[in-house]
Amino acid sequence: MGAKRKRKSSFLVQGTILAAAGILVRLIGLAYRIPMTNVLKEEGIGVYSAAYQIYNIILLLSSYSLPLAVSKLVAAKLALREYRNSFRVFCGAMMFALTVGAAGSAVTFFGAEFFAQTVLNMPEAAVAIKVLAPAIFFMAVLGVLRGFFQGQGTMIPTALSQIFEQIINAVVSILAAGYLWQYGWKADRVHAASIYANSYGAAGGTLGTLLGAVTALIFCIVVFGMYHKVIRRQLRRDKGVKADRYTDIGRMLVITVVPVILSSVVYNVSSLVDNSMFGYYMESTGKLGQYKSIWGAFSGKYLVMVHVPVAIATSLASSVIPALSRAMARRDRGGVVDSINQTIRFAMLIAIPSAVGLGVLAEPIMKLLFHGGNELASSMMMWGSSAVIFFSLSTVTNGVLQGINHMKDPIVNAGIALVFHLAVLAVLLWGFDAGIYGVVVANIVFGAAMCVLNAMSVRRILQYEQELKKTFLLPLAASGVMGAAVWGLYQLIHTGTSSNLISIALSVTVGIVLYMVLLLLFRCVDEVELSVMPFGGVLMRLGKLLHLL
């Protein structure tokens, strides 16, 4: 029984490794975005964010889904002990990546002016888009290597490569952004213009992304070379089934990749649509001069903070897909249901208190992290922190549907959610003149719609009913109590010390401990569940110490 439970939860442990790396990567990203935002100012970071959205969309179209597709196909072959075919999947995927990566880079580089001028209404973003173009090729190759390791059941190479990638990204981005912004500022003075500083500064920020991708690729290539002995041992143990033809592998890749690409593009294109629609809205209201600074506060502050806890859900989704693929290949419905239940519950145990904490401490956190002009970003976070919950849940359920081989459902669901999103955004912008708050609300509507539609799809396919009390209601109750305590404690400490840093550190620490105690007190988790949860041993010791278990 213990071994069975261990097998069922191994994906969650691997997911935790990737989630821990994801959180560290987000924290590093947050750490470098703060000085970069302070150097480039909100206008410059707005240009950087706009260029990055174009990069993200083309990366999604070309190769972003390759890690997921490769891990899914490799895991399915390994579950059937078809080791030779699993390696052929890797080889076929690499040929595919080299082709689409090169095409994506070319489109990005040669279409930079069109994307910046016509799509974004922000000509200054063209240089940054060109700098990002080669990164698409490197990320395609990197995606195949990461997907191969994930399909093998280990997230460690992916996790470490992400950390190295982000460290290089952080260092280079800060240094290059500062140097090139100063260069552009001098050019603005010489030419009596106001475009060079933002354009060159944003390009410096994107240079970190390019060199980070190169670093991660080199690391994964080295690890793959070290892993080659394991691959040879697997090939010797192959069951001797007929080798898959590369044409068949290519067809499987396309069948797997295309639905994931479409769902990911529809799922992520909302940010590009938001950027474009908000730009034209600001132009129509005669406020185009404020466009870059307001968008910089939204994308460079609010969204950056929202995405830190969402990284956990993204990592869990990446780990659950190969686990579900293996269970589906073995026709193990019990394993499928257990994996879904554990993943969603663990994601909500993190996302709900994170949303509450960001909401109640929005102003102090923004004040601590960013220099000046944080009133707008603080207000957005205060009213829009629930996006953490909706985007975490929709990300996990997207992974569930892809893992159980229902690739079309996320596409349809994302398309329907996007229609709602666009309708709400248009009404809020041009009907109610809601400004950037209309973008915040429309994003929450999109995430909530995805959650509902994905839940309906999972229920229809598996006759699966998500448990509500322990997954949502009790964590919400515990988070509410924690949020009230954290806010009150912050006010009390800040009154006595006047130190924002000390007040946040102490109140958040107490809040985390209080939340864990409340989970045990409310019987949200028991010993059996804790035994298969990452870091469950810590909670078990705490519960026994307080006589709650």
Side-chain angles (χ1 to χ4, degrees):
M1 181 67 180
K4 183 178 180 182
R5 185 182 299 139
K6 184 177 180 180
R7 285 195 302 271
K8 287 183 177 181
S9 63
S10 61
F11 81 92
L12 198 56
V13 174
Q14 292 295 324
T16 304
I17 293 172
L18 199 56
I23 294 172
L24 181 57
V25 164
R26 295 289 184 182
L27 291 176
I28 296 171
L30 181 61
Y32 88 80
R33 285 291 289 268
I34 293 167
M36 196 167 75
T37 299
N38 294 332
V39 167
L40 298 181
K41 311 296 188 287
E42 289 185 342
E43 287 194 3
I45 207 68
V47 174
Y48 168 85
S49 299
Y52 211 84
Q53 286 178 356
I54 295 296
Y55 164 75
N56 273 337
I57 292 297
I58 298 179
L59 188 65
L60 284 169
L61 287 170
S62 60
S63 58
Y64 186 80
S65 59
L66 278 175
L68 183 152
V70 174
S71 68
K72 180 179 172 64
L73 294 176
V74 168
K77 294 297 182 182
L78 291 177
L80 300 175
R81 298 184 180 180
E82 297 181 14
Y83 301 110
R84 190 174 302 279
N85 284 333
S86 73
F87 186 70
R88 289 177 73 85
V89 166
F90 167 78
C91 295
M94 187 59 71
M95 291 185 284
F96 182 86
L98 293 172
T99 303
V100 298
S105 292
V107 169
T108 306
F109 185 85
F110 293 109
E113 282 80 8
F114 168 78
F115 294 130
Q117 179 68 54
T118 305
V119 178
L120 297 173
N121 197 22
M122 195 180 290
E124 302 97 316
V127 179
I129 294 173
K130 287 186 176 181
V131 173
L132 285 168
I136 293 174
F137 175 79
F138 296 123
M139 289 300 293
V141 179
L142 178 61
V144 174
L145 288 166
R146 284 173 170 170
F148 178 75
F149 291 128
Q150 290 167 204
Q152 294 279 339
T154 175
M155 304 293 167
I156 294 176
T158 296
L160 291 177
S161 68
Q162 288 178 346
I163 294 171
F164 294 145
E165 176 187 355
Q166 193 70 322
I167 290 173
I168 297 299
N169 185 6
V171 174
V172 174
S173 293
I174 295 171
L175 296 177
Y179 176 79
L180 290 179
W181 189 90
Q182 288 290 337
Y183 179 83
W185 179 78
K186 294 176 182 177
D188 280 333
R189 296 189 66 182
V190 171
H191 297 286
S194 60
I195 61 172
Y196 294 107
N198 291 332
S199 178
Y200 291 170
T206 57
L207 182 62
T209 301
L210 172 59
L211 296 182
V214 172
T215 301
L217 177 58
I218 293 171
F219 172 79
C220 282
I221 290 174
V222 171
V223 174
F224 183 80
M226 297 167 60
Y227 200 76
H228 206 257
K229 292 181 180 179
V230 176
I231 297 172
R232 287 203 299 268
R233 284 199 300 268
Q234 287 181 342
L235 295 178
R236 286 196 293 268
R237 300 203 313 269
D238 190 84
K239 291 181 64 177
V241 297
K242 182 179 179 181
D244 292 334
R245 295 180 301 176
Y246 281 114
T247 53
D248 294 332
I249 292 172
R251 186 174 66 253
M252 287 190 295
L253 276 172
V254 171
I255 291 173
T256 306
V257 165
V258 170
V260 176
I261 288 175
L262 292 176
S263 62
S264 298
V265 167
V266 178
Y267 189 73
N268 289 276
V269 78
S270 59
S271 61
L272 180 61
V273 173
D274 291 346
N275 196 337
S276 183
M277 288 181 65
F278 185 69
Y280 284 107
Y281 159 78
M282 294 295 284
E283 186 176 32
S284 69
T285 56
K287 302 175 183 176
L288 190 59
Q290 305 172 37
Y291 167 39
K292 289 191 288 291
S293 62
I294 294 176
W295 189 258
F298 172 77
S299 59
K301 296 180 179 179
Y302 166 74
L303 282 185
V304 166
M305 295 304 302
V306 166
H307 287 159
V308 171
V310 173
I312 297 175
T314 304
S315 301
L316 288 173
S318 296
S319 65
V320 79
I321 288 172
L324 290 174
S325 297
R326 286 190 291 268
M328 292 292 288
R330 294 192 298 262
R331 302 183 185 276
D332 179 11
R333 187 183 182 280
V336 170
V337 171
D338 284 350
S339 297
I340 294 172
N341 185 56
Q342 289 182 22
T343 304
I344 293 177
R345 284 200 62 196
F346 185 61
M348 290 301 96
L349 286 174
I350 302 298
I352 293 174
S354 298
V356 172
L358 287 173
V360 299
L361 293 181
E363 185 177 355
I365 289 174
M366 291 297 178
K367 182 180 178 181
L368 176 67
L369 298 178
F370 301 102
H371 292 171
N374 293 313
E375 293 81 7
L376 181 60
S378 299
S379 182
M380 284 189 281
M381 180 59 69
M382 190 180 301
W383 296 106
S385 63
S386 61
V388 171
I389 300 172
F390 296 122
F391 280 107
S392 295
L393 183 56
S394 60
T395 298
V396 168
T397 50
N398 262 7
V400 166
L401 289 168
Q402 290 160 355
I404 60 176
N405 300 324
H406 282 262
M407 316 295 287
K408 294 181 180 178
D409 287 74
I411 304 173
V412 175
N413 295 343
I416 296 172
L418 183 60
V419 171
F420 278 112
H421 173 86
L422 294 177
V424 170
L425 182 59
V427 170
L428 291 175
L429 289 180
W430 284 279
F432 291 91
D433 197 24
I436 194 64
Y437 294 100
V439 181
V440 173
V441 172
N443 269 270
I444 293 173
V445 169
F446 178 81
M450 282 294 298
C451 291
V452 173
L453 294 169
N454 282 353
M456 292 171 62
S457 295
V458 174
R459 184 192 312 155
R460 171 177 51 81
I461 296 164
L462 295 174
Q463 290 76 50
Y464 172 81
E465 291 288 342
Q466 180 62 47
E467 187 276 334
L468 298 178
K469 183 179 178 181
K470 288 186 174 183
T471 304
F472 299 104
L473 299 181
L474 291 180
L476 187 60
S479 299
V481 175
M482 177 210 70
V486 166
W487 184 85
L489 187 59
Y490 172 85
Q491 299 298 328
L492 180 64
I493 298 173
H494 194 263
T495 301
T497 65
S498 298
S499 171
N500 192 33
L501 175 60
I502 293 175
S503 302
I504 290 177
L506 291 178
S507 59
V508 169
T509 301
V510 172
I512 292 172
V513 175
L514 177 60
Y515 177 70
M516 291 180 177
V517 171
L518 289 171
L519 288 180
L520 299 173
L521 186 63
F522 292 169
R523 300 292 189 265
C524 187
V525 289
D526 56 34
E527 286 194 59
V528 175
E529 292 166 332
L530 287 174
S531 67
V532 297
M533 285 179 59
F535 309 114
V538 176
L539 276 175
M540 287 177 67
R541 287 192 293 272
L542 179 63
K544 290 178 179 179
L545 180 66
L546 299 175
H547 303 289
L548 296 175
L549 287 175

